Amino acid sequence: MGGTVLVTGGAGYVGAHGCKALSQAGYLPVVYDNFVHGHEEAVRWGPLERGDTADRARLDEVFERHRPVAVMHFAAFTAVGESVADPGKYYRNNVGGTLALLETMAAHKVRRFVFSSTAATYGLPDQVPITEDQPTRPINPYGHSKQMVEQMLLDFEAAHGISSAMMRYFNAAGASPDGDIGEDHDPETHLIPLALDAVTGRRPALTLFGDDYPTPDGTCVRDYIHVGDLADAHVLALDYLAAGGATRAFNLGTGTGVSVREILESVRRVTGHEVPHVVGPRRAGDPPVLVADPSRARAELGWSPRLSDIDTIVATAWAWHQRRGNG
Ligand code: UDP
């Protein structure tokens, strides 16, 4: 395979890793990004086109110029708390922007779509590990915005023959082992970068959100997946779609749960320092346990995580963190 792939949000954390993996697999990634959260220095593997996903005229121009064989759609707002405070921002960008993108694809007869979805579509799951056929009942506007797009994708497949791989990420984490790309959110809300910042003193002690959950050590359990493994799954999804695969959701996680306290232990092992922390109240909307059953991605995409044991995730994040701190 090969050819040009339009990568929205390609200047962001997961999107930049996607571009790198595409380039290594022989594709040309064309980044389409509005730089609300993206970083120009993360665009290294192909041309850059500035633009907003809601801008039909600009999208038409870019599709005309580059004639992509497929689209990988990473561009989205992703902060759960912000989505509760300002749902319009999330529906406008994540739903409205994706609609404009899909209509552009239909007009230009581009029929392969890889979509960044989320485990947040499941809400409070009935059972863990979570399989893709469990009901999706999101509990915040961010999750709703992604679920709505998944519904649109089924309708666009029926009407326009656009097939989609809906990639339901669990907890994306880690940095490129080469040290060239990593996580740099503003504001940062994610556990591992906040724990590393607490170790270096760049931020105050971490607040551990609740230690009275019904889990073995009382803290929330999540399924952390290395961003490089996520990127690999996206490239494999292109093969799946090229082989005629139908629109389908894929869980991207390891199948192994790790508690917040186990993350802090891993940070101690990797950095040699205890994470300064205080135990605070639970954060609203945090389910006690979210763990993927990733069997479908393994069976149908041939995907298996390579970099996702927790010490590797933390070590790559730590290397990136130190490099960024120095630069
Ligand atoms: N967490 C925490 N303190 C923080 C940030 C996160 O205790 O400052 C916990 C959070 O409650 C959750 C886990 O760490 O159980 C992962 O949170 P994160 O925000 O990284 O990802 P999420 O699971 O919300 O997607």
Side-chain angles (χ1 to χ4, degrees):
M1 269 285 304
T4 297
V5 177
L6 189 74
V7 183
T8 76
Y13 171 52
V14 188
H17 282 86
C19 288
K20 184 176 180 179
L22 281 168
S23 168
Q24 287 172 344
Y27 294 92
L28 178 67
V30 173
V31 170
Y32 186 79
D33 204 295
N34 64 5
F35 290 95
V36 170
H37 290 300
H39 301 267
E40 214 160 321
E41 63 276 15
V43 182
R44 303 184 183 190
W45 293 277
L48 168 63
E49 296 283 1
R50 286 174 186 274
D52 202 277
T53 45
D55 187 345
R56 259 308 300 269
R58 179 77 184 117
L59 281 171
D60 275 330
E61 239 173 63
V62 169
F63 273 68
E64 199 54 51
R65 180 171 310 145
H66 295 284
R67 301 190 177 276
V69 297
V71 175
M72 277 191 191
H73 181 38
F74 296 97
F77 294 139
T78 61
V80 170
E82 184 188 54
S83 81
V84 175
D86 190 359
K89 177 174 176 177
Y90 278 69
Y91 291 121
R92 198 166 52 245
N93 186 61
N94 294 6
V95 182
T98 306
L99 179 58
L101 181 61
L102 288 170
E103 290 186 315
T104 310
M105 287 179 64
H108 293 260
K109 301 191 167 31
V110 178
R111 297 205 170 95
R112 293 173 202 157
F113 192 65
V114 183
F115 173 58
S116 294
S117 190
T118 170
T121 54
Y122 295 113
L124 301 170
D126 295 334
Q127 284 172 31
V128 285
I130 305 171
T131 52
E132 290 86 350
D133 46 23
Q134 279 204 32
T136 54
R137 290 180 301 237
I139 55 169
N140 52 60
Y142 166 65
H144 277 125
S145 73
K146 293 287 184 174
Q147 182 197 37
M148 287 175 186
V149 171
E150 289 196 357
Q151 180 58 54
M152 286 175 5
L153 294 178
L154 294 167
D155 297 338
F156 271 71
E157 178 176 53
H160 302 295
I162 295 174
S163 305
S164 298
M166 308 188 291
M167 313 303 259
R168 293 183 180 158
Y169 306 171
F170 281 68
N171 286 61
S176 162
D178 308 338
D180 52 359
I181 20 176
E183 191 166 16
D184 192 7
H185 292 114
D186 183 25
E188 188 55 78
T189 61
H190 293 114
L191 176 62
I192 294 172
L194 291 177
L196 295 175
D197 274 346
V199 163
T200 58
R202 195 162 168 256
R203 284 181 213 260
L206 180 89
T207 302
L208 196 165
F209 296 142
D211 68 353
D212 58 351
Y213 283 95
T215 58
D217 68 16
T219 66
C220 285
V221 171
R222 295 287 178 273
D223 187 337
Y224 294 86
I225 183 77
H226 193 282
V227 64
D229 288 332
L230 286 182
D232 288 349
H234 287 67
V235 174
L236 293 167
L238 285 182
D239 299 337
Y240 165 85
L241 295 172
T247 296
R248 205 141 170 66
F250 295 100
N251 284 340
L252 299 183
T254 60
T256 302
V258 177
S259 75
V260 177
R261 282 208 187 280
E262 286 171 328
I263 293 285
L264 302 192
E265 259 307 293
S266 172
V267 171
R268 189 191 57 73
R269 279 194 299 275
V270 166
T271 67
H273 299 283
E274 294 288 342
V275 180
H277 68 278
V278 293
V279 177
R282 294 181 178 192
R283 182 172 68 178
D286 266 342
V289 182
L290 279 179
V291 176
D293 178 338
S295 321
R296 183 186 286 175
R298 194 177 303 128
E300 296 190 24
L301 303 181
W303 176 72
S304 57
R306 301 172 289 125
L307 297 167
S308 292
D309 75 84
I310 201 60
D311 284 3
T312 303
I313 288 177
V314 171
T316 57
W318 177 234
W320 159 257
H321 205 80
Q322 288 175 298
R323 195 182 148 108
R324 191 192 48 175
N326 297 337

